[in-house]
Amino acid sequence: MAVEHPVTAPSGDQTRIHNIGYRSYDGPRLGRAYARRSLYSQSLRGAYGLGRSVKSKVLPMLLFVVMCVPAAIMVAVAVATKANELPVDYTRYAIVMQAVISLYVASQAPQSVSRDLRFKTVPLYFSRPIETADYVRAKFAALASALFVLTAAPLLVLYIGALLATLDFADQTKGFAQGLVSVALLSLLFAGLGLVIASVTPRRGFGIAAVIAVLTISYGAVSTLQAIADAQNSTGSIPWIGLFSPVTLIDGAQSAFLGATSAFPGGIGPSNGEGVVYVLVVLGLIAASYGLLMRRYRRVGL
């Protein structure tokens, strides 16, 4: 309770000093786990503009619609024509729509971390009780979850449509499960790479450009080199060239172990032995992304 102490100033004016009586917090302390969950949920909501201005919702929601509309059209065509199979396999859909996915990562990865760096709020997170590992895990998991929602939603549309078209239940369920595994790997890989690139600069515009460059230019360069190798009948080098792009990494891993049709020239995907290398590279990049983020934010938090 505030206490007023009247004091007579030298000029004769009446002055009051207010003792506002600061007291320590006596309520429940929810700890690191609660702080980590809160940061995760807020970051996930922010990835779709929820809880933010209308302007912030436009791009992520538009990209979500763009991802789902082609699947809905395919379903409508399959139902109307009574087709025996879907036009696109579940494992192929994300590869076909990789440009939209790359744009989403480029727009949301900098939004997730660049503003904290720009306004120097990261040390405030680490003051108490959250630690560096909590921050990195929450941000990584939030962007990966947002990407999984973006990529799995159209697969769900395809699956429901396939059942409505009375396609074989066992085949569709198997394909749907394989597609979910594929987009889960893609979400982890793209989230890790996007956050690492975005954490380098506090400028959101630079982060967006850098993420787009890494994801799209690498895919274009690798696809061009694979086409040249195919034209020169050097088919043995095609799978190894695919190791140098995130998109082709996912394509090669799923074609080797998930029964997917490869988008490589001539449909020549990696063998099972080469597929093991693809999976190891994907997992290694995910682990390396996490490690680089930890090192980056240990320095920032000092």
Side-chain angles (χ1 to χ4, degrees):
M1 181 182 294
V3 179
E4 296 183 358
H5 301 281
V7 176
T8 302
S11 61
D13 296 334
Q14 191 73 9
T15 304
R16 288 183 175 88
I17 297 176
H18 296 274
N19 177 12
I20 61 177
Y22 286 111
R23 293 182 298 178
S24 61
Y25 175 70
D26 297 326
R29 299 183 182 274
L30 302 176
R32 288 176 56 189
Y34 178 81
R36 186 168 56 245
R37 289 194 302 269
S38 298
L39 182 58
Y40 166 78
S41 63
Q42 292 301 317
S43 300
L44 178 56
R45 284 166 54 84
Y48 285 96
L50 303 177
R52 302 175 62 206
S53 64
V54 175
K55 181 181 177 181
S56 301
K57 296 180 177 67
V58 173
L59 183 58
M61 292 300 182
L62 178 62
L63 293 176
F64 182 82
V65 170
V66 171
M67 282 291 294
C68 293
V69 165
I73 294 174
M74 293 177 190
V75 164
V77 171
V79 172
T81 60
K82 298 181 180 180
N84 294 324
E85 59 182 12
L86 293 172
V88 175
D89 293 337
Y90 295 98
T91 50
R92 290 281 303 130
Y93 192 86
I95 303 300
V96 172
M97 303 295 290
Q98 56 87 19
V100 180
I101 300 170
S102 298
L103 183 58
Y104 181 86
V105 177
S107 63
Q108 298 309 311
Q111 187 276 136
S112 181
V113 296
S114 295
R115 296 178 67 185
D116 291 342
L117 295 170
R118 182 178 181 181
F119 297 110
K120 303 183 186 303
T121 58
V122 175
L124 297 178
Y125 283 110
F126 301 157
S127 59
R128 189 177 61 181
I130 200 171
E131 297 183 359
T132 305
D134 301 318
Y135 181 88
V136 171
R137 289 168 188 166
K139 291 292 184 177
F140 200 135
L143 186 57
S145 298
L147 276 168
F148 184 76
V149 170
L150 181 77
T151 52
L155 300 187
L156 182 60
V157 173
L158 288 174
Y159 181 64
I160 294 174
L163 297 183
L164 291 176
T166 64
L167 300 183
D168 185 75
F169 177 79
D171 288 343
Q172 297 305 314
T173 302
K174 178 182 177 182
F176 179 57
Q178 291 172 337
L180 290 181
V181 172
S182 174
V183 298
L185 274 177
L186 181 147
S187 300
L188 289 170
L189 178 60
F190 277 42
L193 294 176
L195 288 175
V196 167
I197 297 167
S199 67
V200 173
T201 173
R203 298 291 181 179
R204 184 181 178 186
F206 292 160
I208 292 173
V211 174
I212 290 176
V214 170
L215 295 181
T216 61
I217 293 178
S218 64
Y219 177 70
V222 165
S223 298
T224 301
L225 291 175
Q226 287 179 326
I228 293 173
D230 183 56
Q232 294 180 349
N233 294 322
S234 180
T235 57
S237 63
I238 291 177
W240 299 112
I241 296 173
L243 292 171
F244 296 95
S245 166
V247 178
T248 52
L249 272 173
I250 299 298
D251 189 346
Q254 69 180 15
S255 63
F257 295 111
L258 297 177
T261 302
S262 177
F264 291 179
I268 302 173
S271 63
N272 288 341
E274 294 165 340
V276 171
V277 178
Y278 270 73
V279 172
L280 291 176
V281 171
V282 170
L283 297 178
L285 285 175
I286 294 171
S289 299
Y290 178 79
L292 289 172
L293 286 170
M294 288 291 293
R295 291 183 59 186
R296 167 65 172 157
Y297 282 98
R298 283 197 183 103
R299 292 197 301 268
V300 173
L302 294 178

